[in-house]
Amino acid sequence: MVTLKTFYLLINQLIAIKSFARFQKMASEELFSAEFSEEILDKQDDKEEQLEIVDEESEIVAEVKEIETESADIAQAATVEKANSTSENSGPEARLFQLPLTRIRNLMKLDPDMNIASTEAVFVVTRSTELFIESLAREAFSYTTQSKKKTVQKRDVDLAISSVDSLMFLDGAMNF
Amino acid sequence: MVERIEDLNLPNAVVGRLIKDALPEGANVSKEARAAIARAASVFVIFLTSSSTTLARKQNHKTITAANILDALKQLEFESFVEPLSTDLEAYRKAVKDKKDKAKSSSATAVANNSSANDEEMETEKTS
């Protein structure tokens, strides 16, 4: 029963995050379009800077190619990942990640707007989640030491969340 | 899709280990604090995915790539993650590539063995 409730709250959270992301998107789109039109103006007016722009363009083309090859790899990568996650868990070489990739992928699939995530993307999300856990733990621990204690309490986590700007999105997500 | 609701929670043991590794020795974490951090991590995944999807969509890509995730992290003020992640990603690519190469080389050696056997056959034919 408790888990079911948690699930609904997670979904609610997702919806809240979606609207937040849309707001961000609106803001960043404005920025992007401003940048873009500047670039176009540059192209038309400043022929002296053309070389530079050409460089930029080729960079972009290279980037696009990279992305295309990446997405072309997905069908392959999907099978590779399966082999990978099983063998890497038992492999002698140092583990690249500790959280389960499938669990992370399932979480990512909760996003109705997401179609496919490349294996590399899932890996990066997994790793960044690990980094996130570590940094949040450290942040919380700083409040623990401030109160001269050795055990991190939930209060410390809450304090960390409300005091760090980049953790703002968690505000209100923790009250269930 | 998700079959069981428990599939949405990150494994407690792993989260606990990650937290322990991040903190100095002698530090403890209460159960509630660990649960809170685990929940925060789940929300972080959803949040990051959502931002990355938006970025991918902007580029008219249906698939989220590693580059999208890194861009999203920059946008969400987690720039400090980008550099270690890039090196990790490289290591991951290398591991995947090694795996592929291994698979290839094992099949290649099989082919090579075959062809050398053929060569030997040819040679024996020639000598005879």
Side-chain angles (χ1 to χ4, degrees), chain A residues 62-64 66-68 70-71 118-125, chain B residues 48 51-53 55-56 59 61 63-75 82 85-86 89 93:
Chain A
E63 223 170 287
V64 166
E66 197 184 24
I67 288 164
E68 273 171 3
E70 242 176 285
S71 51
S118 75
T119 348
E120 284 186 356
V122 177
F123 168 75
V124 173
V125 172
Chain B
L48 182 56
S51 314
S52 311
T53 328
L55 283 177
Q59 298 177 337
H61 283 293
T63 307
I64 311 181
T65 62
N68 293 143
I69 309 279
L70 293 178
D71 285 348
L73 279 171
K74 273 180 214 156
Q75 206 182 33
V82 172
L85 280 176
S86 309
L89 181 59
R93 278 183 181 149

PDB file of all heavy atoms in Angstrom, chain A residues 62-64 66-68 70-71 118-125, chain B residues 48 51-53 55-56 59 61 63-75 82 85-86 89 93:
ATOM      1  N   ALA A  62      30.276  17.769 -37.884  1.00  0.00           N
ATOM      2  CA  ALA A  62      30.956  16.628 -37.275  1.00  0.00           C
ATOM      3  C   ALA A  62      30.137  16.100 -36.107  1.00  0.00           C
ATOM      4  O   ALA A  62      29.959  14.890 -35.943  1.00  0.00           O
ATOM      5  CB  ALA A  62      32.338  17.031 -36.800  1.00  0.00           C
ATOM      6  N   GLU A  63      29.633  17.043 -35.321  1.00  0.00           N
ATOM      7  CA  GLU A  63      28.847  16.655 -34.158  1.00  0.00           C
ATOM      8  C   GLU A  63      27.613  15.857 -34.580  1.00  0.00           C
ATOM      9  O   GLU A  63      27.313  14.807 -34.033  1.00  0.00           O
ATOM     10  CB  GLU A  63      28.407  17.918 -33.422  1.00  0.00           C
ATOM     11  CG  GLU A  63      28.541  17.822 -31.919  1.00  0.00           C
ATOM     12  CD  GLU A  63      28.314  19.179 -31.284  1.00  0.00           C
ATOM     13  OE1 GLU A  63      29.201  20.040 -31.398  1.00  0.00           O
ATOM     14  OE2 GLU A  63      27.243  19.367 -30.723  1.00  0.00           O
ATOM     15  N   VAL A  64      26.933  16.405 -35.608  1.00  0.00           N
ATOM     16  CA  VAL A  64      25.718  15.748 -36.089  1.00  0.00           C
ATOM     17  C   VAL A  64      26.042  14.338 -36.563  1.00  0.00           C
ATOM     18  O   VAL A  64      25.340  13.379 -36.260  1.00  0.00           O
ATOM     19  CB  VAL A  64      25.088  16.575 -37.231  1.00  0.00           C
ATOM     20  CG1 VAL A  64      24.047  15.755 -37.960  1.00  0.00           C
ATOM     21  CG2 VAL A  64      24.475  17.846 -36.673  1.00  0.00           C
ATOM     22  N   GLU A  66      28.445  12.487 -35.608  1.00  0.00           N
ATOM     23  CA  GLU A  66      28.738  11.667 -34.430  1.00  0.00           C
ATOM     24  C   GLU A  66      27.430  11.149 -33.840  1.00  0.00           C
ATOM     25  O   GLU A  66      27.301   9.965 -33.543  1.00  0.00           O
ATOM     26  CB  GLU A  66      29.469  12.524 -33.396  1.00  0.00           C
ATOM     27  CG  GLU A  66      30.161  11.738 -32.335  1.00  0.00           C
ATOM     28  CD  GLU A  66      30.764  12.662 -31.301  1.00  0.00           C
ATOM     29  OE1 GLU A  66      30.305  13.796 -31.150  1.00  0.00           O
ATOM     30  OE2 GLU A  66      31.692  12.233 -30.638  1.00  0.00           O
ATOM     31  N   ILE A  67      26.486  12.066 -33.722  1.00  0.00           N
ATOM     32  CA  ILE A  67      25.214  11.697 -33.119  1.00  0.00           C
ATOM     33  C   ILE A  67      24.510  10.660 -33.978  1.00  0.00           C
ATOM     34  O   ILE A  67      23.951   9.688 -33.469  1.00  0.00           O
ATOM     35  CB  ILE A  67      24.338  12.955 -32.932  1.00  0.00           C
ATOM     36  CG1 ILE A  67      24.918  13.802 -31.798  1.00  0.00           C
ATOM     37  CG2 ILE A  67      22.907  12.575 -32.626  1.00  0.00           C
ATOM     38  CD1 ILE A  67      24.406  15.205 -31.771  1.00  0.00           C
ATOM     39  N   GLU A  68      24.589  10.858 -35.312  1.00  0.00           N
ATOM     40  CA  GLU A  68      23.919   9.917 -36.198  1.00  0.00           C
ATOM     41  C   GLU A  68      24.499   8.520 -36.060  1.00  0.00           C
ATOM     42  O   GLU A  68      23.769   7.537 -35.988  1.00  0.00           O
ATOM     43  CB  GLU A  68      24.018  10.387 -37.646  1.00  0.00           C
ATOM     44  CG  GLU A  68      22.874  11.340 -37.984  1.00  0.00           C
ATOM     45  CD  GLU A  68      23.060  11.995 -39.323  1.00  0.00           C
ATOM     46  OE1 GLU A  68      24.040  11.657 -40.008  1.00  0.00           O
ATOM     47  OE2 GLU A  68      22.236  12.842 -39.670  1.00  0.00           O
ATOM     48  N   GLU A  70      25.986   7.394 -33.574  1.00  0.00           N
ATOM     49  CA  GLU A  70      25.598   6.898 -32.258  1.00  0.00           C
ATOM     50  C   GLU A  70      24.232   6.246 -32.304  1.00  0.00           C
ATOM     51  O   GLU A  70      24.038   5.138 -31.809  1.00  0.00           O
ATOM     52  CB  GLU A  70      25.556   8.070 -31.271  1.00  0.00           C
ATOM     53  CG  GLU A  70      26.540   7.923 -30.142  1.00  0.00           C
ATOM     54  CD  GLU A  70      26.516   9.151 -29.283  1.00  0.00           C
ATOM     55  OE1 GLU A  70      27.058  10.193 -29.695  1.00  0.00           O
ATOM     56  OE2 GLU A  70      25.956   9.068 -28.211  1.00  0.00           O
ATOM     57  N   SER A  71      23.283   6.953 -32.959  1.00  0.00           N
ATOM     58  CA  SER A  71      21.930   6.393 -32.979  1.00  0.00           C
ATOM     59  C   SER A  71      21.862   5.170 -33.877  1.00  0.00           C
ATOM     60  O   SER A  71      21.033   4.285 -33.665  1.00  0.00           O
ATOM     61  CB  SER A  71      20.926   7.454 -33.428  1.00  0.00           C
ATOM     62  OG  SER A  71      21.352   8.065 -34.616  1.00  0.00           O
ATOM     63  N   SER A 118      19.826   5.836 -25.865  1.00  0.00           N
ATOM     64  CA  SER A 118      20.946   4.993 -26.261  1.00  0.00           C
ATOM     65  C   SER A 118      21.590   4.400 -25.005  1.00  0.00           C
ATOM     66  O   SER A 118      21.448   4.931 -23.909  1.00  0.00           O
ATOM     67  CB  SER A 118      21.973   5.799 -27.051  1.00  0.00           C
ATOM     68  OG  SER A 118      22.705   6.630 -26.188  1.00  0.00           O
ATOM     69  N   THR A 119      22.274   3.284 -25.201  1.00  0.00           N
ATOM     70  CA  THR A 119      22.912   2.621 -24.050  1.00  0.00           C
ATOM     71  C   THR A 119      23.869   3.566 -23.360  1.00  0.00           C
ATOM     72  O   THR A 119      23.971   3.573 -22.135  1.00  0.00           O
ATOM     73  CB  THR A 119      23.723   1.399 -24.507  1.00  0.00           C
ATOM     74  OG1 THR A 119      23.393   1.121 -25.842  1.00  0.00           O
ATOM     75  CG2 THR A 119      23.454   0.230 -23.618  1.00  0.00           C
ATOM     76  N   GLU A 120      24.578   4.339 -24.181  1.00  0.00           N
ATOM     77  CA  GLU A 120      25.523   5.295 -23.602  1.00  0.00           C
ATOM     78  C   GLU A 120      24.804   6.306 -22.732  1.00  0.00           C
ATOM     79  O   GLU A 120      25.288   6.675 -21.663  1.00  0.00           O
ATOM     80  CB  GLU A 120      26.290   6.011 -24.713  1.00  0.00           C
ATOM     81  CG  GLU A 120      27.368   5.142 -25.317  1.00  0.00           C
ATOM     82  CD  GLU A 120      28.214   5.893 -26.316  1.00  0.00           C
ATOM     83  OE1 GLU A 120      27.900   7.071 -26.590  1.00  0.00           O
ATOM     84  OE2 GLU A 120      29.178   5.298 -26.814  1.00  0.00           O
ATOM     85  N   ALA A 121      23.633   6.733 -23.205  1.00  0.00           N
ATOM     86  CA  ALA A 121      22.873   7.711 -22.418  1.00  0.00           C
ATOM     87  C   ALA A 121      22.472   7.114 -21.082  1.00  0.00           C
ATOM     88  O   ALA A 121      22.590   7.766 -20.038  1.00  0.00           O
ATOM     89  CB  ALA A 121      21.634   8.150 -23.205  1.00  0.00           C
ATOM     90  N   VAL A 122      22.017   5.867 -21.107  1.00  0.00           N
ATOM     91  CA  VAL A 122      21.630   5.218 -19.849  1.00  0.00           C
ATOM     92  C   VAL A 122      22.841   5.109 -18.935  1.00  0.00           C
ATOM     93  O   VAL A 122      22.747   5.347 -17.728  1.00  0.00           O
ATOM     94  CB  VAL A 122      21.026   3.818 -20.119  1.00  0.00           C
ATOM     95  CG1 VAL A 122      20.696   3.127 -18.800  1.00  0.00           C
ATOM     96  CG2 VAL A 122      19.779   3.928 -20.963  1.00  0.00           C
ATOM     97  N   PHE A 123      23.980   4.793 -19.529  1.00  0.00           N
ATOM     98  CA  PHE A 123      25.189   4.707 -18.711  1.00  0.00           C
ATOM     99  C   PHE A 123      25.511   6.056 -18.074  1.00  0.00           C
ATOM    100  O   PHE A 123      25.816   6.127 -16.872  1.00  0.00           O
ATOM    101  CB  PHE A 123      26.374   4.234 -19.571  1.00  0.00           C
ATOM    102  CG  PHE A 123      27.699   4.393 -18.883  1.00  0.00           C
ATOM    103  CD1 PHE A 123      28.070   3.523 -17.871  1.00  0.00           C
ATOM    104  CD2 PHE A 123      28.563   5.427 -19.233  1.00  0.00           C
ATOM    105  CE1 PHE A 123      29.274   3.683 -17.218  1.00  0.00           C
ATOM    106  CE2 PHE A 123      29.761   5.595 -18.582  1.00  0.00           C
ATOM    107  CZ  PHE A 123      30.120   4.718 -17.575  1.00  0.00           C
ATOM    108  N   VAL A 124      25.433   7.122 -18.874  1.00  0.00           N
ATOM    109  CA  VAL A 124      25.766   8.449 -18.336  1.00  0.00           C
ATOM    110  C   VAL A 124      24.793   8.836 -17.231  1.00  0.00           C
ATOM    111  O   VAL A 124      25.203   9.371 -16.193  1.00  0.00           O
ATOM    112  CB  VAL A 124      25.775   9.508 -19.469  1.00  0.00           C
ATOM    113  CG1 VAL A 124      25.940  10.896 -18.893  1.00  0.00           C
ATOM    114  CG2 VAL A 124      26.883   9.212 -20.449  1.00  0.00           C
ATOM    115  N   VAL A 125      23.507   8.533 -17.423  1.00  0.00           N
ATOM    116  CA  VAL A 125      22.529   8.849 -16.380  1.00  0.00           C
ATOM    117  C   VAL A 125      22.850   8.061 -15.115  1.00  0.00           C
ATOM    118  O   VAL A 125      22.802   8.604 -13.998  1.00  0.00           O
ATOM    119  CB  VAL A 125      21.094   8.542 -16.864  1.00  0.00           C
ATOM    120  CG1 VAL A 125      20.107   8.695 -15.724  1.00  0.00           C
ATOM    121  CG2 VAL A 125      20.707   9.454 -17.996  1.00  0.00           C
TER     122      VAL A 125
ATOM    123  N   LEU B  48      16.395  14.587 -14.907  1.00  0.00           N
ATOM    124  CA  LEU B  48      17.458  14.641 -15.917  1.00  0.00           C
ATOM    125  C   LEU B  48      16.953  14.110 -17.256  1.00  0.00           C
ATOM    126  O   LEU B  48      17.225  14.692 -18.307  1.00  0.00           O
ATOM    127  CB  LEU B  48      18.658  13.822 -15.425  1.00  0.00           C
ATOM    128  CG  LEU B  48      19.894  13.770 -16.300  1.00  0.00           C
ATOM    129  CD1 LEU B  48      20.405  15.164 -16.598  1.00  0.00           C
ATOM    130  CD2 LEU B  48      20.987  12.965 -15.614  1.00  0.00           C
ATOM    131  N   SER B  51      14.713  16.706 -18.955  1.00  0.00           N
ATOM    132  CA  SER B  51      15.453  17.811 -19.569  1.00  0.00           C
ATOM    133  C   SER B  51      16.187  17.349 -20.827  1.00  0.00           C
ATOM    134  O   SER B  51      16.252  18.079 -21.820  1.00  0.00           O
ATOM    135  CB  SER B  51      16.479  18.370 -18.589  1.00  0.00           C
ATOM    136  OG  SER B  51      15.895  18.553 -17.343  1.00  0.00           O
ATOM    137  N   SER B  52      16.715  16.130 -20.790  1.00  0.00           N
ATOM    138  CA  SER B  52      17.443  15.616 -21.942  1.00  0.00           C
ATOM    139  C   SER B  52      16.504  15.381 -23.119  1.00  0.00           C
ATOM    140  O   SER B  52      16.863  15.649 -24.266  1.00  0.00           O
ATOM    141  CB  SER B  52      18.135  14.306 -21.586  1.00  0.00           C
ATOM    142  OG  SER B  52      18.845  14.436 -20.397  1.00  0.00           O
ATOM    143  N   THR B  53      15.289  14.890 -22.819  1.00  0.00           N
ATOM    144  CA  THR B  53      14.317  14.667 -23.885  1.00  0.00           C
ATOM    145  C   THR B  53      14.001  15.981 -24.580  1.00  0.00           C
ATOM    146  O   THR B  53      13.916  16.032 -25.804  1.00  0.00           O
ATOM    147  CB  THR B  53      13.004  14.102 -23.315  1.00  0.00           C
ATOM    148  OG1 THR B  53      13.283  13.302 -22.188  1.00  0.00           O
ATOM    149  CG2 THR B  53      12.290  13.277 -24.336  1.00  0.00           C
ATOM    150  N   LEU B  55      15.932  18.535 -24.851  1.00  0.00           N
ATOM    151  CA  LEU B  55      17.076  18.927 -25.676  1.00  0.00           C
ATOM    152  C   LEU B  55      17.129  18.094 -26.952  1.00  0.00           C
ATOM    153  O   LEU B  55      17.389  18.619 -28.037  1.00  0.00           O
ATOM    154  CB  LEU B  55      18.377  18.747 -24.887  1.00  0.00           C
ATOM    155  CG  LEU B  55      18.675  19.820 -23.846  1.00  0.00           C
ATOM    156  CD1 LEU B  55      19.945  19.480 -23.093  1.00  0.00           C
ATOM    157  CD2 LEU B  55      18.807  21.181 -24.513  1.00  0.00           C
ATOM    158  N   ALA B  56      16.877  16.787 -26.826  1.00  0.00           N
ATOM    159  CA  ALA B  56      16.931  15.902 -27.993  1.00  0.00           C
ATOM    160  C   ALA B  56      15.855  16.305 -28.993  1.00  0.00           C
ATOM    161  O   ALA B  56      16.074  16.317 -30.205  1.00  0.00           O
ATOM    162  CB  ALA B  56      16.746  14.453 -27.562  1.00  0.00           C
ATOM    163  N   GLN B  59      16.662  19.093 -31.229  1.00  0.00           N
ATOM    164  CA  GLN B  59      17.523  18.738 -32.365  1.00  0.00           C
ATOM    165  C   GLN B  59      16.826  17.781 -33.318  1.00  0.00           C
ATOM    166  O   GLN B  59      17.460  17.206 -34.206  1.00  0.00           O
ATOM    167  CB  GLN B  59      18.794  18.064 -31.851  1.00  0.00           C
ATOM    168  CG  GLN B  59      19.627  18.949 -30.956  1.00  0.00           C
ATOM    169  CD  GLN B  59      20.838  18.222 -30.420  1.00  0.00           C
ATOM    170  OE1 GLN B  59      20.863  16.997 -30.344  1.00  0.00           O
ATOM    171  NE2 GLN B  59      21.851  18.961 -30.045  1.00  0.00           N
ATOM    172  N   HIS B  61      15.812  14.871 -32.661  1.00  0.00           N
ATOM    173  CA  HIS B  61      16.256  13.495 -32.453  1.00  0.00           C
ATOM    174  C   HIS B  61      15.223  12.772 -31.609  1.00  0.00           C
ATOM    175  O   HIS B  61      14.710  13.320 -30.641  1.00  0.00           O
ATOM    176  CB  HIS B  61      17.597  13.471 -31.716  1.00  0.00           C
ATOM    177  CG  HIS B  61      18.743  13.813 -32.604  1.00  0.00           C
ATOM    178  ND1 HIS B  61      19.137  12.994 -33.623  1.00  0.00           N
ATOM    179  CD2 HIS B  61      19.577  14.879 -32.626  1.00  0.00           C
ATOM    180  CE1 HIS B  61      20.172  13.556 -34.232  1.00  0.00           C
ATOM    181  NE2 HIS B  61      20.452  14.705 -33.654  1.00  0.00           N
ATOM    182  N   THR B  63      16.031   9.804 -30.327  1.00  0.00           N
ATOM    183  CA  THR B  63      16.820   9.040 -29.369  1.00  0.00           C
ATOM    184  C   THR B  63      17.638   9.976 -28.497  1.00  0.00           C
ATOM    185  O   THR B  63      18.250  10.915 -29.004  1.00  0.00           O
ATOM    186  CB  THR B  63      17.776   8.101 -30.134  1.00  0.00           C
ATOM    187  OG1 THR B  63      17.023   7.346 -31.048  1.00  0.00           O
ATOM    188  CG2 THR B  63      18.512   7.195 -29.182  1.00  0.00           C
ATOM    189  N   ILE B  64      17.644   9.700 -27.201  1.00  0.00           N
ATOM    190  CA  ILE B  64      18.491  10.494 -26.307  1.00  0.00           C
ATOM    191  C   ILE B  64      19.899   9.948 -26.369  1.00  0.00           C
ATOM    192  O   ILE B  64      20.119   8.744 -26.234  1.00  0.00           O
ATOM    193  CB  ILE B  64      18.006  10.417 -24.852  1.00  0.00           C
ATOM    194  CG1 ILE B  64      16.520  10.686 -24.782  1.00  0.00           C
ATOM    195  CG2 ILE B  64      18.746  11.418 -23.996  1.00  0.00           C
ATOM    196  CD1 ILE B  64      16.027  10.629 -23.362  1.00  0.00           C
ATOM    197  N   THR B  65      20.857  10.837 -26.594  1.00  0.00           N
ATOM    198  CA  THR B  65      22.254  10.410 -26.639  1.00  0.00           C
ATOM    199  C   THR B  65      22.982  10.877 -25.383  1.00  0.00           C
ATOM    200  O   THR B  65      22.463  11.681 -24.617  1.00  0.00           O
ATOM    201  CB  THR B  65      22.957  11.003 -27.867  1.00  0.00           C
ATOM    202  OG1 THR B  65      22.933  12.422 -27.735  1.00  0.00           O
ATOM    203  CG2 THR B  65      22.267  10.591 -29.138  1.00  0.00           C
ATOM    204  N   ALA B  66      24.183  10.359 -25.225  1.00  0.00           N
ATOM    205  CA  ALA B  66      25.003  10.754 -24.073  1.00  0.00           C
ATOM    206  C   ALA B  66      25.250  12.261 -24.093  1.00  0.00           C
ATOM    207  O   ALA B  66      25.245  12.918 -23.048  1.00  0.00           O
ATOM    208  CB  ALA B  66      26.316   9.995 -24.097  1.00  0.00           C
ATOM    209  N   ALA B  67      25.424  12.814 -25.310  1.00  0.00           N
ATOM    210  CA  ALA B  67      25.679  14.251 -25.428  1.00  0.00           C
ATOM    211  C   ALA B  67      24.495  15.059 -24.894  1.00  0.00           C
ATOM    212  O   ALA B  67      24.674  16.087 -24.233  1.00  0.00           O
ATOM    213  CB  ALA B  67      25.951  14.609 -26.880  1.00  0.00           C
ATOM    214  N   ASN B  68      23.279  14.585 -25.159  1.00  0.00           N
ATOM    215  CA  ASN B  68      22.082  15.261 -24.652  1.00  0.00           C
ATOM    216  C   ASN B  68      22.094  15.304 -23.133  1.00  0.00           C
ATOM    217  O   ASN B  68      21.756  16.322 -22.526  1.00  0.00           O
ATOM    218  CB  ASN B  68      20.812  14.533 -25.114  1.00  0.00           C
ATOM    219  CG  ASN B  68      20.602  14.616 -26.610  1.00  0.00           C
ATOM    220  OD1 ASN B  68      20.151  13.669 -27.231  1.00  0.00           O
ATOM    221  ND2 ASN B  68      20.960  15.757 -27.199  1.00  0.00           N
ATOM    222  N   ILE B  69      22.475  14.183 -22.532  1.00  0.00           N
ATOM    223  CA  ILE B  69      22.489  14.108 -21.069  1.00  0.00           C
ATOM    224  C   ILE B  69      23.497  15.111 -20.512  1.00  0.00           C
ATOM    225  O   ILE B  69      23.210  15.844 -19.560  1.00  0.00           O
ATOM    226  CB  ILE B  69      22.857  12.696 -20.598  1.00  0.00           C
ATOM    227  CG1 ILE B  69      21.994  11.637 -21.272  1.00  0.00           C
ATOM    228  CG2 ILE B  69      22.778  12.599 -19.083  1.00  0.00           C
ATOM    229  CD1 ILE B  69      20.660  11.428 -20.684  1.00  0.00           C
ATOM    230  N   LEU B  70      24.679  15.150 -21.139  1.00  0.00           N
ATOM    231  CA  LEU B  70      25.716  16.058 -20.645  1.00  0.00           C
ATOM    232  C   LEU B  70      25.263  17.509 -20.781  1.00  0.00           C
ATOM    233  O   LEU B  70      25.470  18.320 -19.876  1.00  0.00           O
ATOM    234  CB  LEU B  70      27.027  15.819 -21.403  1.00  0.00           C
ATOM    235  CG  LEU B  70      27.695  14.456 -21.153  1.00  0.00           C
ATOM    236  CD1 LEU B  70      28.948  14.306 -21.993  1.00  0.00           C
ATOM    237  CD2 LEU B  70      28.036  14.278 -19.686  1.00  0.00           C
ATOM    238  N   ASP B  71      24.622  17.811 -21.912  1.00  0.00           N
ATOM    239  CA  ASP B  71      24.105  19.177 -22.110  1.00  0.00           C
ATOM    240  C   ASP B  71      23.062  19.514 -21.049  1.00  0.00           C
ATOM    241  O   ASP B  71      23.050  20.622 -20.500  1.00  0.00           O
ATOM    242  CB  ASP B  71      23.478  19.303 -23.506  1.00  0.00           C
ATOM    243  CG  ASP B  71      24.535  19.382 -24.589  1.00  0.00           C
ATOM    244  OD1 ASP B  71      25.718  19.573 -24.228  1.00  0.00           O
ATOM    245  OD2 ASP B  71      24.192  19.238 -25.777  1.00  0.00           O
ATOM    246  N   ALA B  72      22.194  18.530 -20.787  1.00  0.00           N
ATOM    247  CA  ALA B  72      21.143  18.757 -19.786  1.00  0.00           C
ATOM    248  C   ALA B  72      21.753  19.012 -18.412  1.00  0.00           C
ATOM    249  O   ALA B  72      21.297  19.882 -17.676  1.00  0.00           O
ATOM    250  CB  ALA B  72      20.204  17.556 -19.734  1.00  0.00           C
ATOM    251  N   LEU B  73      22.802  18.261 -18.089  1.00  0.00           N
ATOM    252  CA  LEU B  73      23.461  18.445 -16.793  1.00  0.00           C
ATOM    253  C   LEU B  73      24.012  19.856 -16.666  1.00  0.00           C
ATOM    254  O   LEU B  73      23.908  20.494 -15.621  1.00  0.00           O
ATOM    255  CB  LEU B  73      24.592  17.431 -16.628  1.00  0.00           C
ATOM    256  CG  LEU B  73      24.180  16.029 -16.195  1.00  0.00           C
ATOM    257  CD1 LEU B  73      25.355  15.083 -16.285  1.00  0.00           C
ATOM    258  CD2 LEU B  73      23.647  16.043 -14.778  1.00  0.00           C
ATOM    259  N   LYS B  74      24.596  20.350 -17.782  1.00  0.00           N
ATOM    260  CA  LYS B  74      25.126  21.718 -17.774  1.00  0.00           C
ATOM    261  C   LYS B  74      23.999  22.694 -17.501  1.00  0.00           C
ATOM    262  O   LYS B  74      24.141  23.624 -16.701  1.00  0.00           O
ATOM    263  CB  LYS B  74      25.754  22.033 -19.138  1.00  0.00           C
ATOM    264  CG  LYS B  74      27.215  21.599 -19.221  1.00  0.00           C
ATOM    265  CD  LYS B  74      27.777  21.926 -20.594  1.00  0.00           C
ATOM    266  CE  LYS B  74      28.781  20.874 -21.005  1.00  0.00           C
ATOM    267  NZ  LYS B  74      28.926  20.792 -22.458  1.00  0.00           N
ATOM    268  N   GLN B  75      22.880  22.453 -18.167  1.00  0.00           N
ATOM    269  CA  GLN B  75      21.742  23.362 -18.041  1.00  0.00           C
ATOM    270  C   GLN B  75      21.179  23.347 -16.615  1.00  0.00           C
ATOM    271  O   GLN B  75      20.683  24.371 -16.140  1.00  0.00           O
ATOM    272  CB  GLN B  75      20.663  22.905 -19.028  1.00  0.00           C
ATOM    273  CG  GLN B  75      19.756  24.005 -19.481  1.00  0.00           C
ATOM    274  CD  GLN B  75      18.699  23.463 -20.417  1.00  0.00           C
ATOM    275  OE1 GLN B  75      18.244  22.327 -20.287  1.00  0.00           O
ATOM    276  NE2 GLN B  75      18.303  24.285 -21.363  1.00  0.00           N
ATOM    277  N   VAL B  82      30.126  17.017 -15.368  1.00  0.00           N
ATOM    278  CA  VAL B  82      30.354  16.770 -16.784  1.00  0.00           C
ATOM    279  C   VAL B  82      31.745  16.202 -17.048  1.00  0.00           C
ATOM    280  O   VAL B  82      31.902  15.240 -17.805  1.00  0.00           O
ATOM    281  CB  VAL B  82      30.129  18.062 -17.599  1.00  0.00           C
ATOM    282  CG1 VAL B  82      30.556  17.870 -19.035  1.00  0.00           C
ATOM    283  CG2 VAL B  82      28.659  18.471 -17.540  1.00  0.00           C
ATOM    284  N   LEU B  85      32.242  12.623 -15.876  1.00  0.00           N
ATOM    285  CA  LEU B  85      31.374  11.769 -16.683  1.00  0.00           C
ATOM    286  C   LEU B  85      31.963  11.526 -18.057  1.00  0.00           C
ATOM    287  O   LEU B  85      31.859  10.430 -18.604  1.00  0.00           O
ATOM    288  CB  LEU B  85      29.991  12.396 -16.822  1.00  0.00           C
ATOM    289  CG  LEU B  85      29.062  12.218 -15.632  1.00  0.00           C
ATOM    290  CD1 LEU B  85      27.774  12.967 -15.849  1.00  0.00           C
ATOM    291  CD2 LEU B  85      28.774  10.752 -15.402  1.00  0.00           C
ATOM    292  N   SER B  86      32.603  12.571 -18.619  1.00  0.00           N
ATOM    293  CA  SER B  86      33.190  12.409 -19.947  1.00  0.00           C
ATOM    294  C   SER B  86      34.275  11.345 -19.919  1.00  0.00           C
ATOM    295  O   SER B  86      34.362  10.514 -20.836  1.00  0.00           O
ATOM    296  CB  SER B  86      33.775  13.732 -20.437  1.00  0.00           C
ATOM    297  OG  SER B  86      32.816  14.742 -20.306  1.00  0.00           O
ATOM    298  N   LEU B  89      32.641   8.037 -19.579  1.00  0.00           N
ATOM    299  CA  LEU B  89      32.005   7.639 -20.842  1.00  0.00           C
ATOM    300  C   LEU B  89      33.050   7.054 -21.777  1.00  0.00           C
ATOM    301  O   LEU B  89      32.811   6.051 -22.455  1.00  0.00           O
ATOM    302  CB  LEU B  89      31.323   8.849 -21.477  1.00  0.00           C
ATOM    303  CG  LEU B  89      30.586   8.586 -22.787  1.00  0.00           C
ATOM    304  CD1 LEU B  89      29.511   7.544 -22.588  1.00  0.00           C
ATOM    305  CD2 LEU B  89      29.973   9.864 -23.317  1.00  0.00           C
ATOM    306  N   ARG B  93      33.030   3.444 -23.355  1.00  0.00           N
ATOM    307  CA  ARG B  93      33.106   3.176 -24.794  1.00  0.00           C
ATOM    308  C   ARG B  93      34.205   2.176 -25.086  1.00  0.00           C
ATOM    309  O   ARG B  93      34.058   1.283 -25.910  1.00  0.00           O
ATOM    310  CB  ARG B  93      33.387   4.469 -25.549  1.00  0.00           C
ATOM    311  CG  ARG B  93      32.134   5.275 -25.769  1.00  0.00           C
ATOM    312  CD  ARG B  93      32.388   6.518 -26.577  1.00  0.00           C
ATOM    313  NE  ARG B  93      31.151   7.269 -26.742  1.00  0.00           N
ATOM    314  CZ  ARG B  93      31.095   8.585 -26.851  1.00  0.00           C
ATOM    315  NH1 ARG B  93      32.194   9.302 -26.805  1.00  0.00           N
ATOM    316  NH2 ARG B  93      29.941   9.183 -27.017  1.00  0.00           N
TER     317      ARG B  93
END
